[in-house]
């Protein structure tokens, strides 16, 4: 298997920018294992799904993922995650700095730094990988963003039994904003 090195910008769009999300069994203070990590290359039908072969639902996850025949999908093990991330020109994720990078450090020992490279765009290990946190970007670019129409201002937390405030930059609000309720 060959993994490409950082590709250049093409027509103003970063070739090699991956949009991602992680799913795990808890928040940072309690997380013990990954469920899955999916990275999709921006503007390209190129998907990379990371799964743990020791996970009890590994085979059913692979079967489901392979049923999506329209996707150019590569299924990888978490042993390959750091090496793959170092081939990306950039990665973007909602709450990348608050959760996902810290999750990778905790579960896989992946080191990251926002200030190690001269342009302060981010590194994975010693490799420059532009790091984009869309939650931070939303808060900075539009700090007074209102909740979208129809979005509740609080939801019941099933663990605490208390109501939690819904922030205008969070995933629930963005789901309403783009009509994925």
């Amino acid at each position: 298997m060959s993994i490409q090195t950082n590709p250049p910008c093409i027509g103003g769009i970063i070739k090699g920018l991956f949009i991602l999300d992680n799913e795990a069994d808890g928040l940072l203070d309690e997380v013990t294992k990954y469920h899955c990590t999916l990275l999709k290359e921006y503007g390209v039908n190129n998907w990379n799904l990371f799964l743990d072969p020791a996970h009890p639902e590994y085979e059913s996850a692979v079967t489901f993922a392979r049923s999506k025949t329209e996707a150019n999908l590569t299924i990888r093990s978490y042993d390959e995650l750091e090496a793959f991330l170092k081939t990306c020109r950039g990665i973007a994720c909602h709450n990348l700095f608050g959760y996902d990078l810290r999750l990778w450090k905790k579960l896989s020992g992946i080191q990251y730094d926002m200030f190690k490279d001269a342009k302060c765009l981010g590194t994975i290990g010693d490799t420059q990988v532009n790091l984009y946190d869309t939650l931070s970007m939303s808060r900075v670019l539009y700090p007074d963003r209102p909740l979208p129409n129809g979005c509740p201002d609080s939801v019941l937390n099933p663990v605490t039994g208390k109501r939690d405030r819904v922030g205008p930059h969070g995933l629930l609000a963005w789901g309403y904003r783009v009509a994925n309720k």
Side-chain angles (χ1 to χ4, degrees):
M1 166 180 28
S2 171
I3 297 179
Q4 296 178 349
T5 58
N6 286 344
C9 291
I10 295 177
I13 295 182
I14 299 175
K15 181 169 173 38
L17 171 64
F18 284 81
I19 313 304
L20 72 96
D21 196 18
N22 286 290
E23 297 300 333
D25 67 347
L27 299 177
L28 283 172
D29 58 341
E30 61 198 31
V31 68
T32 62
K33 65 183 174 190
Y34 296 107
H35 290 308
C36 65
T37 299
L38 183 66
L39 293 100
K40 193 246 185 241
E41 189 170 5
Y42 180 77
V44 179
N45 185 21
N46 181 13
W47 302 75
N48 289 270
L49 177 62
F50 289 83
L51 297 170
D52 178 0
H55 194 285
E57 296 178 24
Y58 175 78
E59 289 301 327
S60 63
V62 168
T63 300
F64 175 77
R66 289 200 173 131
S67 74
K68 306 302 174 190
T69 56
E70 68 280 357
N72 178 24
L73 176 70
T74 303
I75 298 173
R76 302 177 186 274
S77 165
Y78 278 101
D79 295 343
E80 301 174 75
L81 180 60
E82 182 172 9
F84 180 82
L85 291 171
K86 288 179 177 182
T87 69
C88 300
R89 182 75 165 179
I91 55 175
C93 180
H94 206 67
N95 203 16
L96 181 69
F97 303 143
Y99 183 76
D100 301 87
L101 289 170
R102 295 164 62 194
L103 174 74
W104 292 338
K105 184 175 183 178
K106 181 174 183 176
L107 296 184
S108 297
I110 296 173
Q111 298 296 317
Y112 64 92
D113 194 310
M114 280 302 300
F115 306 105
K116 192 182 262 186
D117 67 297
K119 295 180 181 178
C120 295
L121 295 172
T123 58
I124 300 289
D126 290 325
T127 304
Q128 182 180 344
V129 177
N130 298 346
L131 304 175
Y132 303 100
D133 183 336
T134 58
L135 176 60
S136 298
M137 294 166 78
S138 177
R139 288 176 173 161
V140 169
L141 295 172
Y142 193 176
D144 297 327
R145 181 183 302 277
L147 283 173
N149 290 335
C151 184
D153 61 0
S154 66
V155 292
L156 184 64
N157 181 320
V159 176
T160 66
K162 297 178 181 177
R163 295 201 67 81
D164 289 342
R165 180 182 169 274
V166 173
H169 304 281
L171 287 177
L172 181 62
W174 275 105
Y176 273 82
R177 200 168 280 116
V178 299
N180 289 324
K181 302 174 201 168

